[in-house]
Amino acid sequence: MVNRSVTRRAVLGGLGGLVLAGGAGLGVRAWQQRGATGPDGPFQENPLVSGLQQLKSEIPLPARYRLPLVVPPVLTPTVDGPRDRYEITQKVATQEIVPGLRTQIWGYDGRFPGPTIVSRRGRPTVVRHRNELPVPTVVHLHGGHTPAESDGYPTDLVLPGSGAPPVPAPSVPAPLGSPSGSAHHGAHDPGAVVTTLTRDYTYPMEQPAATLWYHDHRMDFTGPSVWRGLAGFHLVRDDEEERLPLPGADRELPLMIVDRAFAADGSLSYPALDPDLIHTPGVQEPYTQGVLGDVTLVNGVPWPVHEVTAVRYRLRILNASNARVYDLALRAPNGPLPIVQIGSDGGLLATPVRHDSLTVAPAERFDVVVDFSGVKPGQLVELVNLAGSGPTASVMAFRVTASARDDSAVPDTLAVVEPVDPSSVTVHRAFDFHRGTMYGWTINGQYFDPTAPVFDTTLGTAEIWTFTSDYHHPVHVHLSSFRVLSRGGGPPGPYDAGLKDTVFVNGAEKVSVLVRFTDYPGRFLLHCHNLEHEDMAMMATFRVR
Ligand code: C2O
Ligand code: CU
Ligand code: CU
């Protein structure tokens, strides 16, 4: 067993004065002190990405809007009575992400993004994952209303099969400066269910039509594992959605947006302390507040272009980035195009919401409809990131090819979404997210300890949870969607509508949500979905009874 606290101390010692503690604007100052610049000049600090550090690729960046968008293939299930079965192999593979360069990835079925799974509401889906990677893995279906044994708890490891190097048992990190000091508290999680080579994840899919995604969730190493490619879409469809005249077939596009950086040989750069991703978790300073890249990928393609006809399209936008928050807008030659939101993380909204731009934090999904009918054939519509600068200000483009017949519409009423009624709620909980440095990221002053649930909650009982923080965090809750009740003392913000499972909490802002867990008892997680924060212990376990 590696004594990770010793490792961390050594690393911190070596960094000397670069290890800064606390204080507003810390990251901004650290960044400016280092005089870092992007390829297109100095990094423009935007509050949505303040403090996060951007890696600089060592390759000439590929040209924008030249490569075609790739839509991940949809897997065909094996029908097994009332269930759909799938098998996915996690493996090391090579993908030509940047033209002319071969990039090693970790991919579901050897591709990034992984293949898309499409489930029907109420029809159970069983996914057998086979781990042929050199490290243990855990699969989590993000947004899934999933029983605990299939939810991908961070210590429920799938160990690699024979032939892979030995791996250490899951252990509780010994955080620097924590009350337990350098002592290893609890090397093993007695509650973990560890398998070798394969594991069947069973998803009942008793949940509304929505855009879900699956990704790695291994304790301490989620950030680098997702960065290497372990992420894919999982869509849920239902009758309620199918009755709506929304754009479908090839006019419905899942868009997984991430940022990455590339080394000179085409490999993915990531400042991991342990490049093997086995022993020492965490990233080097100054990246501990979150790792950004300077290349924007949509479905694994840098700044792609997609040909569309001059009709309505449905875009299922997912921010699968480790730490980057986007502010997305659509720009046509004759002005901006409105973005009409029809769904959120957990399903369709009650009524559509029109936006000029969309702030999308890591792990959030926005289901939107855009109308290209006012754009002339031959023109380009850019999806831009108003929170980016230089290369990260662009995301992708749509080239309008021709006009076409459009029978789609966005009805004023989309789905039945229960109105929120907090008046009878008696259980209130508060969660304060506090930043630190190498391993000092806490919720209510506590580091993640998989052996110790922080509280118990009761199935079916509504509770009000309030999130506060000294830094910006995308806060995610497993098992059930929640509803945003208030933000900053006022009403919910423009991006808070509908069924949410991830909510962006700005520094010094208070966000209250209404949660109610249903159906499945067991242990589940509440955590920050900035993956660097998550890997540095900004997670808590709760038990549903
Ligand atoms: Cu998308 Cu607990 O994670
Ligand atoms: Cu989740
Ligand atoms: Cu965070």
Side-chain angles (χ1 to χ4, degrees):
M1 180 64 57
V2 176
N3 186 334
R4 284 184 284 183
S5 66
V6 170
T7 316
R8 277 194 202 95
R9 275 182 203 289
V11 170
L12 281 173
L15 289 166
L18 268 179
V19 181
L20 308 168
L26 154 72
V28 180
R29 286 202 303 275
W31 175 263
Q32 288 166 346
Q33 281 163 6
R34 309 196 114 226
T37 55
D40 288 12
F43 185 74
Q44 298 295 303
E45 192 62 55
N46 180 293
L48 294 176
V49 286
S50 89
L52 308 173
Q53 302 293 309
Q54 186 166 304
L55 293 162
K56 187 171 175 352
S57 290
E58 295 163 350
I59 55 163
L61 299 185
R64 294 179 309 166
Y65 317 147
R66 295 279 166 77
L67 300 163
L69 177 75
V70 171
V71 176
V74 175
L75 286 183
T76 308
T78 306
V79 175
D80 171 12
R83 282 172 296 275
D84 287 343
R85 287 188 182 275
Y86 296 90
E87 193 163 328
I88 289 177
T89 303
Q90 308 169 3
K91 55 187 174 195
V92 179
T94 303
Q95 192 161 315
E96 188 174 339
I97 296 173
V98 175
L101 288 174
R102 292 163 67 77
T103 301
Q104 193 188 82
I105 60 150
W106 287 359
Y108 294 111
D109 280 351
R111 62 185 325 287
F112 170 67
T116 299
I117 292 178
V118 180
S119 290
R120 193 82 200 172
R121 179 178 192 168
R123 184 174 167 84
T125 296
V126 182
V127 186
R128 171 165 299 173
H129 276 273
R130 190 183 161 87
N131 180 9
E132 293 185 357
L133 291 168
V135 298
T137 60
V138 173
V139 183
H140 170 57
L141 176 59
H142 183 121
H145 185 53
T146 306
E149 61 272 20
S150 285
D151 195 49
Y153 193 76
T155 51
D156 285 351
L157 303 176
V158 182
L159 302 177
S162 51
V167 294
S171 65
V172 179
L176 276 164
S178 70
S180 49
S182 60
H184 241 312
H185 49 102
H188 294 272
D189 171 15
V193 178
V194 176
T195 62
T196 300
L197 192 58
T198 65
R199 183 173 180 127
D200 287 359
Y201 293 88
T202 300
Y203 306 116
M205 290 294 152
E206 296 286 357
Q207 58 186 102
T211 306
L212 315 183
W213 62 299
Y214 62 101
H215 62 77
D216 197 62
H217 213 309
R218 174 168 57 121
M219 181 157 157
D220 295 343
F221 294 97
T222 295
S225 304
V226 171
W227 187 271
R228 289 184 186 197
L230 292 176
F233 279 103
H234 189 141
L235 311 180
V236 187
R237 299 195 185 277
D238 67 8
D239 296 344
E240 188 179 35
E241 177 197 42
E242 247 155 45
R243 275 196 293 269
L244 301 173
L246 298 170
D250 61 353
R251 296 177 183 177
E252 181 193 329
L253 299 169
L255 302 176
M256 179 191 287
I257 303 173
V258 303
D259 56 340
R260 295 289 186 267
F262 296 85
D265 63 358
S267 61
L268 288 163
S269 307
Y270 188 85
L273 292 178
D274 173 9
D276 295 329
L277 311 188
I278 292 177
H279 300 285
T280 309
V283 293
Q284 298 156 21
E285 288 286 1
Y287 296 95
T288 51
Q289 298 186 68
V291 180
L292 306 181
D294 57 359
V295 176
T296 310
L297 306 178
V298 182
N299 295 347
V301 182
W303 300 290
V305 61
H306 188 64
E307 291 193 342
V308 295
T309 48
V311 296
R312 283 184 203 86
Y313 276 74
R314 176 177 182 183
L315 311 178
R316 296 175 180 263
I317 295 170
L318 157 66
N319 178 1
S321 306
N322 282 37
R324 184 181 291 279
V325 182
Y326 299 82
D327 190 12
L328 300 174
L330 278 168
R331 270 197 204 134
N334 50 351
L337 285 191
I339 298 173
V340 178
Q341 186 189 356
I342 57 167
S344 184
D345 303 335
L348 291 168
L349 303 181
T351 56
V353 179
R354 196 189 132 117
H355 299 278
D356 295 326
S357 75
L358 280 182
T359 298
V360 189
E364 283 189 303
R365 284 88 71 211
F366 286 84
D367 200 344
V368 306
V369 172
V370 297
D371 188 353
F372 294 109
S373 65
V375 183
K376 290 195 190 62
Q379 289 187 329
L380 207 64
V381 177
E382 285 181 87
L383 181 64
V384 297
N385 172 24
L386 304 173
S389 66
T392 65
S394 307
V395 178
M396 68 172 290
F398 299 91
R399 180 169 304 279
V400 178
T401 56
S403 51
R405 187 189 155 94
D406 191 358
D407 296 324
S408 75
V410 180
D412 292 337
T413 306
L414 295 165
V416 179
V417 182
E418 242 179 275
V420 272
D421 177 21
S423 60
S424 58
V425 177
T426 56
V427 184
H428 293 252
R429 300 182 201 277
F431 301 96
D432 189 34
F433 289 72
H434 190 72
R435 75 164 154 198
T437 54
M438 194 64 79
Y439 222 91
W441 297 72
T442 57
I443 302 174
N444 287 347
Q446 286 179 273
Y447 308 92
F448 179 57
D449 176 349
T451 66
V454 171
F455 61 94
D456 284 358
T457 169
T458 314
L459 274 177
T461 304
E463 303 191 354
I464 292 174
W465 291 8
T466 300
F467 305 127
T468 50
S469 132
D470 57 353
Y471 189 65
H472 52 88
H473 304 279
V475 175
H476 171 49
V477 181
H478 285 218
L479 184 58
S480 293
S481 306
F482 55 77
R483 306 291 297 280
V484 179
L485 294 173
S486 68
R487 177 178 285 276
Y495 313 112
D496 294 333
L499 303 165
K500 297 286 293 168
D501 59 49
T502 308
V503 66
F504 189 53
V505 179
N506 285 299
E509 192 178 49
K510 184 170 170 172
V511 176
S512 293
V513 305
L514 183 82
V515 299
R516 193 169 71 91
F517 298 102
T518 57
D519 298 322
Y520 310 118
R523 59 177 183 174
F524 294 93
L525 290 172
L526 156 72
H527 65 90
C528 177
H529 218 289
N530 171 315
L531 299 183
E532 281 73 40
H533 301 179
E534 172 178 341
D535 284 344
M536 289 180 294
M538 196 171 245
M539 279 203 286
T541 303
F542 57 91
R543 213 159 29 179
V544 182
R545 294 175 174 280

